[in-house]
């Protein structure tokens, strides 16, 4: 019975690309006798067939024994750029930098209007640095796609007006916010 449990654990651990905690492994294998499971796991560790790290994750002792996932679907292109191209269509990179003013700021993104006129540029929050509404910025990594122009903030050259307005609260009670 113990040998069967050891074989079952070893086969499963070698088959999976990621490590499992002992509890999750026990659930995956649908083990009913926890004492037998832990005894088999302990023997496998003593024999050097599995390793248990500090976070109690179980892996095969020989990394080459584990099956690797195939990346054949993605080809040689990383997932990020493949997904980006699928969502936005083909991307045309534009050389140079552009000076612009942040005209719209939302959670996760902003839009900047170029000082020389033209189409507004989309800026993802990860590439916004600490630019705020009304700030003058220098943009780089300009790209044109089917969805429009996008860029990254390279430098903040001027701060806009320190004005914040809005309201907070629920129902009939509210408080205005105004700093200037």
């Amino acid at each position: 019975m113990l040998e069967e449990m050891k074989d079952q654990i070893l086969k499963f651990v070698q088959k999976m690309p990621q490590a499992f905690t002992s509890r999750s492994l026990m659930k995956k294998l649908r083990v009913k006798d926890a004492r037998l499971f832990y005894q088999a796991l302990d023997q496998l560790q003593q024999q050097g067939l599995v390793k248990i790290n500090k976070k109690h994750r179980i892996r095969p002792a020989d990394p080459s024994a584990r099956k690797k996932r195939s990346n054949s679907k993605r080809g040689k292109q990383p997932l990020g750029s493949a997904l980006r191209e699928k969502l936005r269509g083909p991307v045309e990179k534009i050389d140079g930098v552009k000076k612009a003013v942040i005209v719209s700021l939302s959670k996760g993104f902003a839009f900047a209007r170029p000082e020389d006129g033209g189409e507004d540029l989309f800026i993802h929050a990860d590439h916004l640095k600490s630019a705020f509404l009304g700030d003058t910025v220098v943009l780089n990594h300009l790209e044109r796609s089917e969805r429009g122009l996008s860029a990254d903030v390279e430098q903040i050259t001027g701060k806009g007006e320190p004005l914040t307005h809005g309201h907070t609260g629920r129902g009939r009670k509210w408080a205005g916010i105004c700093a200037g």
Side-chain angles (χ1 to χ4, degrees):
M1 194 76 166
L2 184 64
E3 291 301 317
E4 290 174 14
M5 181 63 68
K6 285 169 47 176
D7 287 341
Q8 197 176 6
I9 293 170
L10 199 55
K11 283 179 185 175
F12 187 82
V13 169
Q14 289 175 343
K15 181 175 71 171
M16 299 309 290
Q18 75 271 14
F20 283 94
T21 61
S22 55
R23 272 197 182 164
S24 61
L25 183 60
M26 200 162 46
K27 283 182 182 179
K28 294 275 184 190
L29 295 174
R30 296 187 178 133
V31 173
K32 291 183 174 71
D33 187 359
R35 181 174 283 161
L36 180 68
F37 172 80
Y38 285 112
Q39 190 178 4
L41 191 59
D42 197 35
Q43 284 187 12
L44 285 171
Q45 186 180 14
Q46 288 173 359
Q47 293 170 355
L49 296 171
V50 295
K51 286 186 179 179
I52 302 174
N53 66 14
K54 290 179 184 177
K55 293 184 179 181
H56 306 286
R57 295 194 176 270
I58 303 159
R59 299 176 179 264
D62 181 16
S64 63
R66 188 182 316 144
K67 289 185 180 177
K68 301 235 188 304
R69 286 189 178 171
S70 169
N71 290 337
S72 60
K73 288 183 182 178
R74 288 192 250 160
K76 293 183 181 178
Q77 198 174 28
L79 178 62
S81 59
L83 186 59
R84 185 181 307 129
E85 190 168 321
K86 184 176 181 181
L87 294 173
R88 296 190 329 186
V91 175
E92 172 196 342
K93 297 197 185 286
I94 302 168
D95 289 335
V97 294
K98 211 169 236 214
K99 209 166 183 189
V101 176
I102 305 292
V103 293
S104 173
L105 186 66
S106 295
K107 185 177 181 179
F109 63 92
F111 284 96
R113 182 160 297 141
E115 286 185 341
D116 59 357
E119 189 180 343
D120 287 355
L121 295 120
F122 171 83
I123 305 167
H124 191 273
D126 292 342
H127 306 289
L128 196 56
K129 298 203 175 174
S130 60
F132 197 68
L133 196 60
D135 289 355
T136 305
V137 294
V138 175
L139 303 172
N140 64 2
H141 298 121
L142 285 90
E143 296 179 346
R144 178 178 294 283
S145 70
E146 291 175 0
R147 297 181 74 185
L149 288 170
S150 66
D152 299 348
V153 172
E154 180 179 295
Q155 180 182 5
I156 301 170
T157 56
K159 288 288 186 181
E161 291 288 323
L163 177 67
T164 306
H165 65 279
H167 67 276
T168 63
R170 294 183 181 169
R172 295 180 187 173
K173 295 180 182 180
W174 68 277
I177 301 171
C178 186

